[in-house]
Structure formats: structure tokens, C-alpha cells
Amino acid sequence: MPTILKKRLAALEATREAMPRRYMLDEIEAARLRYEALLEEPCECTPQQAAYYATRTLKESAADYDAVLKGAPAPWL
């Protein structure tokens, strides 16, 4: 390895943060609580949704999902 490259690499490593961030127990607990709050039980399917899922192929469902992401209404409505 050329000397100039070694010097540049040493300079970059000198400016790097030496120790990774250590999280306090209360920070870990707060993050856990935020994560658990995001987890919800799935809601029950309506009869229209159940019929839709029972009659569509994966390819059709993927196309419908893409359309919904672009603003189309849900296909079972």
C-alpha cells in the first residue's frame, strides 16, 4: 500500500468515533414500549374482504395492492 494512502487512511481512522453509542436502560425500555405500541392485533375481515382473498391469485392481489398504493380504492369496497 502506498505511503500516501496509508497516511490518508490513518487520518480517516483518527477522526472516526472510537466507541459505539451505549444506550441507557431507560432508553432501551422506552424503545421497547414504542415498538410494542406499534404492534396491534389484526382486525377481523369483513365478508367482502374474505371473499376477495379467497378468489384472487397472488399476482392479482399484487396488482391490486399496487393500484391501492397509487390511490385506488380497496378492491373489496
Side-chain angles (χ1 to χ4, degrees):
M1 187 182 307
T3 308
I4 189 84
L5 187 56
K6 286 182 183 179
K7 287 180 182 177
R8 286 177 139 179
L9 186 58
L12 282 173
E13 288 179 349
T15 61
R16 189 180 74 168
E17 190 175 322
M19 299 246 329
R21 170 125 165 54
R22 304 256 182 208
Y23 292 97
M24 303 300 288
L25 289 177
D26 57 337
E27 292 174 313
I28 294 170
E29 182 65 16
R32 184 186 67 78
L33 292 173
R34 284 193 309 271
Y35 176 74
E36 283 182 356
L38 294 174
L39 300 176
E40 294 180 9
E41 291 293 321
C43 59
E44 294 293 322
C45 287
T46 64
Q48 294 86 357
Q49 287 174 315
Y52 167 78
Y53 291 127
T55 59
R56 293 301 230 191
T57 65
L58 181 60
K59 196 171 194 175
E60 291 169 331
S61 294
D64 290 340
Y65 182 71
D66 286 339
V68 167
L69 289 177
K70 293 176 183 173
W76 54 82
L77 295 179

